[in-house]
Amino acid sequence: TQKLEQGVKDALAAAMAAGDPTGEDAHRAADLHRQWLCEFWKAERLKGRALGLAEMYVADDRFKAYYEAVAPGAAEFLRDAIKAYCA
């Protein structure tokens, strides 16, 4: 689980460097994020909650700080990547 969590962070950093929350790198980050969440929740419970989680990452300072440790703006970028992934 820790390896997958680090994979999300690494993929998010790469996606941010590419600068496109709808691009291939961002898609990979969002998919790894989904896989990481499925370690804790059943996949069927995750459906419909992913977008709400993405918004929470921006709105809740605790979650925002977790992602902002990757890079400034990472919480918003991940939110946008998750939205694109779910579309």
Side-chain angles (χ1 to χ4, degrees):
T1 301
Q2 289 179 339
K3 186 176 179 180
L4 192 52
E5 179 181 8
Q6 187 60 48
V8 172
K9 292 177 181 179
D10 293 343
L12 179 56
M16 290 185 73
D20 181 6
T22 65
E24 184 177 324
D25 290 327
H27 184 86
R28 181 172 175 272
D31 186 60
L32 286 169
H33 179 264
R34 178 196 57 79
Q35 291 176 46
W36 180 64
L37 288 176
C38 285
E39 293 286 321
F40 307 100
W41 288 346
K42 293 183 179 182
E44 61 272 7
R45 288 189 174 175
L46 187 57
K47 292 178 183 177
R49 294 184 181 180
L51 295 175
L53 282 171
E55 291 297 338
M56 184 180 64
Y57 294 160
V58 174
D60 186 306
D61 289 338
R62 296 166 297 173
F63 288 99
K64 188 171 187 171
Y66 175 83
Y67 287 106
E68 294 294 302
V70 173
E76 289 87 357
F77 190 94
L78 181 59
R79 177 202 54 208
D80 294 346
I82 292 170
K83 283 182 177 180
Y85 180 82
C86 291

